[in-house]
């Protein structure tokens, strides 16, 4: 079924901005803020998904010529399936979205709060290889605050899915705005993409930086203040 879909797409030579996907090659695509999901993405349980992935990944390994009877390899398809569903792509499932409780800002703290250097591991949706980086998030209270660890959990939730860095940045920002009930949020992500460093152009020194500045943060003065804080 999957093979048939791929062949059909090649036959119809689908275009993106006038170019075929073959012509685009390794170029970076970003199609929208929502992670592309099928309407029936959760029609089957996680356990059923793991069984299917185990079978399909075993087939991939077999096609590559690997000996699945070898003691070191025989458990790999199942390990990959569990890793995909329970760990590195667990952010696809809304059931895993962190539950956030708001508290009154009793300290009357009205300056920016910054949580910096949040380490995250994501995966490039074009090649399914890691994106490794740090996120810096900031907000100004509108009268409510959340626990610091919840800022980390929100970053991790959206990172744990096939991603594009621009989308990841915006998804974190939009979630923070909704949860904190304020436009005054900022997100900066600095990351290394293994699809750039370990394959393709093989540039191991470059990094990608994306940012979102909302509300009060979207001024030169506030951006400079945030940058100074991050450089402490």
């Amino acid at each position: 079924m999957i093979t048939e879909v791929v062949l059909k797409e090649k036959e119809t030579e689908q275009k993106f901005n006038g170019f075929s996907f073959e012509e685009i090659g390794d170029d970076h695509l970003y199609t929208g803020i929502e992670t592309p999901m099928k309407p029936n993405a959760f029609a089957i349980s996680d356990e059923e998904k793991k069984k299917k992935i185990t079978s399909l990944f075993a087939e991939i390994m077999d096609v590559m010529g690997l000996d699945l009877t070898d003691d070191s390899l025989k458990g790999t398809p199942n390990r990959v399936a569990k890793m995909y569903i329970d760990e590195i792509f667990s952010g696809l499932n809304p059931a895993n979205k962190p539950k956030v409780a708001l508290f009154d800002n009793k300290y009357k703290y009205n300056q920016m709060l910054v949580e910096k250097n949040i380490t995250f591991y994501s995966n490039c949706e074009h090649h399914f290889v890691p994106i490794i980086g740090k996120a810096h998030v900031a907000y100004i209270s509108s009268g409510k605050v959340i626990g610091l660890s919840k800022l980390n959990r929100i970053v991790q939730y959206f990172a744990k899915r096939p991603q594009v860095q621009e989308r990841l940045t915006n998804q974190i920002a939009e979630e923070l705005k909704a949860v904190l009930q304020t436009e005054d949020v900022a997100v900066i992500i600095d990351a290394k993409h293994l699809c750039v460093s370990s394959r393709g152009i093989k540039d191991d020194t470059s990094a990608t930086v994306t940012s979102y500045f909302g509300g009060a943060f979207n001024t030169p003065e506030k951006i400079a203040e945030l940058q100074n804080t991050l450089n402490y």
Side-chain angles (χ1 to χ4, degrees):
M1 179 65 178
I2 295 174
T3 304
E4 290 175 3
V5 172
V6 172
L7 289 174
K8 187 175 181 181
E9 287 179 353
K10 283 186 174 291
E11 288 170 3
T12 56
E13 293 186 350
Q14 292 188 9
K15 299 284 184 177
F16 185 88
N17 290 348
F19 294 91
S20 71
F21 291 114
E22 190 68 28
E23 291 170 318
I24 290 171
D26 287 342
D27 285 352
H28 195 69
L29 300 181
Y30 173 36
T31 55
I33 191 171
E34 298 297 330
T35 300
M37 298 287 288
K38 300 185 334 184
N40 63 341
F42 304 102
I44 63 175
S45 69
D46 283 355
E47 290 307 311
E48 290 176 286
K49 288 180 180 180
K50 281 184 269 191
K51 287 179 182 177
K52 286 180 177 290
I53 293 171
T54 297
S55 175
L56 292 167
F57 201 81
E59 186 176 344
I60 290 173
M61 293 176 67
D62 182 65
V63 169
M64 291 172 64
L66 294 168
D67 181 5
L68 282 163
T69 66
D70 183 87
D71 287 343
S72 181
L73 297 178
K74 64 176 60 175
T76 297
N78 184 53
R79 285 190 290 267
V80 169
K82 290 196 294 185
M83 177 182 69
Y84 276 9
I85 299 300
D86 296 337
E87 298 179 73
I88 65 175
F89 298 132
S90 61
L92 288 172
N93 192 338
N96 296 323
K97 191 173 184 178
K99 294 178 175 59
V100 176
L102 289 179
F103 304 94
D104 290 332
N105 183 11
K106 294 181 178 180
Y107 295 113
K108 305 299 180 184
Y109 182 75
N110 60 3
Q111 300 300 311
M112 65 181 184
L113 183 147
V114 183
E115 184 83 359
K116 66 178 185 177
N117 296 326
I118 301 172
T119 301
F120 71 87
Y121 298 87
S122 189
N123 278 267
C124 162
E125 69 181 38
H126 301 135
H127 298 97
F128 271 46
V129 292
I131 300 171
I132 303 169
K134 292 186 182 297
H136 316 291
V137 300
Y139 75 94
I140 299 171
S141 174
S142 62
K144 299 289 184 178
V145 296
I146 62 174
L148 293 179
S149 68
K150 293 300 189 291
L151 298 174
N152 298 61
R153 292 183 187 281
I154 289 170
V155 170
Q156 302 302 342
Y157 171 69
F158 288 104
K160 290 180 178 178
R161 54 178 70 180
Q163 272 293 12
V164 176
Q165 187 170 325
E166 297 95 321
R167 180 191 295 131
L168 175 60
T169 306
N170 285 338
Q171 285 180 336
I172 294 169
E174 292 299 326
E175 181 66 13
L176 289 174
K177 290 197 301 182
V179 167
L180 292 164
Q181 302 168 17
T182 178
E183 293 290 319
D184 302 334
V185 305
V187 179
I188 300 174
I189 292 179
D190 186 344
K192 181 180 286 290
H193 294 239
L194 266 67
C195 60
V196 173
S197 62
S198 67
R199 56 160 305 282
I201 193 65
K202 295 181 181 177
D203 180 355
D204 191 46
T205 59
S206 65
T208 301
V209 179
T210 49
S211 59
Y212 179 99
F213 301 111
F217 283 99
N218 197 22
T219 65
E221 295 78 16
K222 212 64 180 177
I223 292 173
E225 181 184 352
L226 178 57
Q227 293 287 0
N228 288 336
T229 300
L230 295 179
N231 290 332
Y232 279 165

